[in-house]
Amino acid sequence: MKKFLLGTVALIALGASVPAMAADLAARPYTKAPAYVPAPIYNWTGFYIGGHVGGAFNGSNGFGGTSDNSDGRFLGGVQIGYDYQFAPNWVFGIEGQYSWVGSNNTNVAFLTTPGVTYNLNQKGLASVTGRIGYTWGPALLYVKGGYAYSDYSESLVTTVGAVPVAFAAGTKHDGYTVGAGLEYLFTQNWSGKVEYQYYDFGKTTFAAPSPVGIVGLSSRNDEHTVKAGLNYRFNWGGPVVAKY
């Protein structure tokens, strides 16, 4: 009986001390979970305008048995276009572009016919192209192709003066272009790009009554260009949005 009473007293004393011990413990601090930062979705849909600079290099410009001054030339120009993003990492677009070409005279001296020089004075290059690319985040890798136009005049110069270009058969201002590039969307409205573009305008073939020694000579009119550009994007398709 005495053991039972002593045990009961001990339990009562222990129960009374538990609240006091709990009161002595410091309150557990509450830590708020870090805010969720959504991953951005980059929207390429919309119109854009911009400018570019770079270099142009003649391709297979040579009439056989000739020498020419087809060194690289500076170019600069403008572009305008529209892109549409779909499926959801693909981008399709259309772009119009014009480039002014510096140091634009190409003179070809015919070694087989001394005293005869072919002169091509190129003012610029233009194109209307479609492009398709794959985007991951702010980067877009694309290929392009379409119609090209070369703004130039040409003549044959002899010891007796200029000969009208009508003496050159097969000369074309119209052609095609293909290329590829990488564009990076570094703010909501601004993007930068680098691209390579090849232009082909067919052949120039000399026919009678051209001077003796150059009749039948042909040269392919093609060019390689490398450009760096900057675009301002209107984002009519919506700004860069957040994924929740």
Side-chain angles (χ1 to χ4, degrees):
M1 185 66 177
K2 184 186 293 186
K3 291 181 179 181
F4 175 76
L5 292 175
L6 289 174
T8 302
V9 172
L11 288 174
I12 293 173
L14 180 62
S17 64
V18 169
M21 293 173 62
D24 291 337
L25 294 175
R28 183 179 179 183
Y30 173 73
T31 303
K32 186 178 180 181
Y36 171 68
V37 179
I41 300 176
Y42 295 89
N43 190 352
W44 289 87
T45 299
F47 289 93
Y48 63 88
I49 58 174
H52 61 267
V53 295
F57 309 88
N58 285 352
S60 306
N61 195 341
F63 289 93
T66 66
S67 62
D68 65 80
N69 62 340
S70 56
D71 295 333
R73 295 155 293 150
F74 173 82
L75 64 78
V78 294
Q79 65 266 356
I80 182 171
Y82 177 81
D83 286 324
Y84 177 74
Q85 186 171 344
F86 63 98
N89 295 101
W90 292 93
V91 176
F92 174 79
I94 186 169
E95 181 180 88
Q97 189 179 103
Y98 187 88
S99 304
W100 290 271
V101 181
S103 302
N104 50 18
N105 285 316
T106 297
N107 298 300
V108 179
F110 293 89
L111 304 181
T112 57
T113 310
V116 178
T117 302
Y118 169 76
N119 175 265
L120 186 147
N121 182 14
Q122 186 179 45
K123 302 177 181 66
L125 291 166
S127 64
V128 177
T129 57
R131 73 172 184 172
I132 187 166
Y134 183 84
T135 178
W136 64 101
L140 172 67
L141 184 65
Y142 63 88
V143 294
K144 61 187 296 187
Y147 168 78
Y149 177 83
S150 182
D151 183 9
Y152 66 83
S153 61
E154 54 188 340
S155 62
L156 283 174
V157 180
T158 70
T159 54
V160 296
V163 179
V165 158
F167 289 0
T171 300
K172 294 175 60 178
H173 289 269
D174 304 307
Y176 72 89
T177 180
V178 293
L182 177 67
E183 190 164 357
Y184 190 86
L185 191 66
F186 54 86
T187 73
Q188 175 176 322
N189 297 102
W190 290 95
S191 64
K193 69 175 182 177
V194 291
E195 71 176 21
Y196 163 80
Q197 199 165 346
Y198 171 76
Y199 298 82
D200 192 318
F201 300 102
K203 290 184 177 181
T204 293
T205 302
F206 291 104
S210 298
V212 175
I214 69 171
V215 175
L217 290 181
S218 296
S219 173
R220 176 168 294 281
N221 298 324
D222 60 347
E223 293 190 64
H224 305 267
T225 64
V226 178
K227 308 168 192 173
L230 184 68
N231 289 325
Y232 178 81
R233 296 184 163 273
F234 295 97
N235 282 323
W236 286 14
V240 176
V241 296
K243 179 181 180 180
Y244 292 96

